[in-house]
C-alpha cells in the first residue's frame, strides 16, 4: 500500500513539473491547479516539496513557478543520453557527410550554450569540443538564435544576467548592438556567427521546434573561413532545416 501511494505521489509531482515546463514565462499556482486537476491543497503541498528538493523556484516579485537549474541539467542529460540520441546523431552525421563541415546540436543552458551532440568534420583543421561543452551564447550562432526566439520577458531577464565578454575583435560587446542583432536574428530565424567566438570560424544555425511556437534546440554548421565563406554556409540552410525538422520529430511525444 505504501509503495502504491508513493508511486501515485511521484506521478502527481511529475505532472506538476510537466505543466510548469510548458510555460516559458513561469506558471501561477492557480493555472497549475486548473491544469493538473488536483485539489489546491494537494498542488500546494507538491509545490512546496518540489521547491524544498530544489526542483522548482518561485520567481522573485511575481511568485510565478519556474523550473530550477537542477532540472535544466537533468533535461540536458536526457537529451544527450536519451533513447533518441543515436537517431539524432545519425541525422547530424548525414549533414556532415553532405556538407563536409562540423555539425552541432545545441541548447540553452543558463547564459551559455551547451553541445548536446557534435559530429566533427574529417578535415585536419577543426575545433574539437565534446558533448556537454559550454560556449558563450552572445558569441555563437546557436546562442543568438535561441535567445532571439524566447518570449520577450524571458529574453530580457536572460540578457540582464549576461556578461558580454570579448573573444575576438568581432564579438558583440554593447547591449544595444546585441539587441539589434537579436531582433534581426528573430526576423530571419537564422543565427549567424561572424568569427565572434574563435577567429576565422564562421557558423550558421537554425531552430529545432518542439511545437509551432517553441524552439528547444538548434542545429548549427561551422566552418573556417579558409574553407567556406558565410554565403557558402548560408547555402546549406535548407539542408540544416531538414535536419532540424527530423531532430524535432525525435523530441516530440507523438513523433509528428
Amino acid at each position: 500500500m505504501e509503495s502504491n501511494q508513493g508511486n501515485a505521489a511521484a506521478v502527481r509531482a511529475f505532472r506538476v513539473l510537466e505543466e510548469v515546463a510548458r510555460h516559458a514565462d513561469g506558471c501561477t499556482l492557480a493555472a497549475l491547479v486548473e491544469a493538473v486537476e488536483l485539489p489546491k491543497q494537494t498542488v500546494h503541498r507538491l509545490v512546496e516539496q518540489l521547491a524544498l528538493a530544489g526542483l522548482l523556484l518561485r520567481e522573485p516579485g511575481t511568485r510565478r513557478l519556474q523550473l530550477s537549474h537542477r532540472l535544466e541539467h537533468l533535461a540536458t542529460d536526457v537529451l544527450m543520453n536519451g533513447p533518441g540520441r543515436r537517431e539524432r546523431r545519425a541525422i547530424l552525421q548525414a549533414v556532415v557527410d553532405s556538407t563536409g563541415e562540423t555539425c552541432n546540436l545545441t541548447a540553452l543552458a543558463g547564459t551559455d550554450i551547451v553541445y548536446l551532440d557534435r559530429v566533427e568534420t574529417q578535415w585536419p583543421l577543426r575545433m574539437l569540443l565534446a558533448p556537454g561543452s559550454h560556449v558563450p551564447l552572445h558569441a555563437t550562432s546557436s546562442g543568438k538564435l535561441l535567445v532571439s526566439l524566447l518570449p520577450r520577458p524571458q529574453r530580457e531577464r536572460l540578457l540582464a544576467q549576461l556578461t558580454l565578454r570579448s573573444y575576438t575583435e568581432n564579438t558583440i560587446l554593447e547591449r544595444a548592438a546585441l539587441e539589434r542583432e537579436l531582433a534581426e536574428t528573430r526576423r530571419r530565424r537564422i543565427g549567424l556567427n561572424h568569427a565572434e567566438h574563435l577567429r576565422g570560424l564562421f557558423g550558421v544555425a537554425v531552430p529545432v521546434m518542439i511545437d509551432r511556437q517553441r524552439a528547444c534546440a538548434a542545429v548549427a554548421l561551422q566552418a573556417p573561413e579558409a574553407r567556406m565563406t558565410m554565403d557558402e554556409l548560408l547555402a546549406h540552410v535548407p539542408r540544416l532545416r531538414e535536419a532540424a525538422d527530423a531532430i524535432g520529430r525525435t523530441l516530440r511525444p507523438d513523433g509528428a
Side-chain angles (χ1 to χ4, degrees):
M1 179 67 71
E2 288 182 2
S3 176
N4 289 339
Q5 290 175 343
N7 290 339
V11 171
R12 289 197 295 268
F14 187 76
R15 287 173 59 193
V16 167
L17 294 174
E18 274 189 317
E19 185 58 33
V20 174
R22 291 190 180 101
H23 293 257
D25 198 32
C27 181
T28 65
L29 185 62
L32 184 58
V33 170
E34 182 178 356
V36 301
E37 298 180 336
L38 290 171
K40 182 177 180 179
Q41 296 88 340
T42 300
V43 175
H44 188 271
R45 183 174 66 254
L46 287 169
V47 166
E48 291 299 319
Q49 291 171 344
L50 291 167
L52 285 172
L55 299 174
L56 283 182
L57 301 172
R58 284 188 175 85
E59 187 178 289
T62 68
R63 305 287 289 172
R64 296 173 75 89
L65 298 167
Q66 298 272 9
L67 299 182
S68 71
H69 292 304
R70 183 179 178 186
L71 278 178
E72 281 190 345
H73 294 316
L74 173 63
T76 298
D77 289 342
V78 169
L79 287 171
M80 288 174 57
N81 304 311
R85 180 180 181 274
R86 290 183 179 178
E87 184 177 353
R88 291 189 286 273
R89 187 167 183 81
I91 294 167
L92 297 181
Q93 182 66 63
V95 173
V96 175
D97 291 344
S98 64
T99 65
E101 298 297 345
T102 297
C103 191
N104 312 309
L105 177 64
T106 64
L108 282 175
T111 57
D112 288 340
I113 282 291
V114 61
Y115 286 99
L116 302 176
D117 206 348
R118 178 178 173 90
V119 177
E120 295 280 356
T121 177
Q122 294 303 306
W123 288 99
L125 180 58
R126 53 184 171 171
M127 181 179 67
L128 297 176
L129 281 171
S133 298
H134 286 240
V135 292
L137 65 81
H138 71 287
T140 54
S141 59
S142 295
K144 289 185 287 183
L145 175 66
L146 291 176
V147 172
S148 78
L149 296 176
L150 291 174
R152 182 176 178 179
Q154 191 175 355
R155 182 170 68 250
E156 290 179 347
R157 283 198 304 272
L158 193 154
L159 291 177
Q161 302 169 8
L162 191 61
T163 299
L164 298 181
R165 177 183 170 188
S166 177
Y167 294 91
T168 75
E169 61 275 13
N170 294 333
T171 308
I172 298 175
L173 299 178
E174 295 181 1
R175 196 163 302 276
L178 179 59
E179 289 174 352
R180 290 193 296 271
E181 172 77 2
L182 293 178
E184 180 62 19
T185 300
R186 184 180 182 90
R187 182 194 64 78
R188 67 179 172 243
R189 297 180 71 84
I190 301 171
L192 303 180
N193 175 6
H194 292 274
E196 296 160 54
H197 182 219
L198 292 170
R199 285 188 178 88
L201 188 67
F202 291 164
V204 297
V206 300
V208 176
M209 306 301 293
I210 196 68
D211 56 34
R212 291 184 178 181
Q213 278 77 42
R214 296 181 298 166
C216 64
V219 174
L221 193 66
Q222 293 178 332
E225 60 181 335
R227 284 202 303 267
M228 197 172 286
T229 66
M230 179 60 77
D231 285 343
E232 288 170 330
L233 272 174
L234 285 168
H236 292 297
V237 163
R239 181 69 186 87
L240 291 180
R241 285 181 169 147
E242 290 176 4
D245 288 343
I247 288 173
R249 287 192 291 273
T250 73
L251 298 172
R252 290 189 283 269
D254 57 3

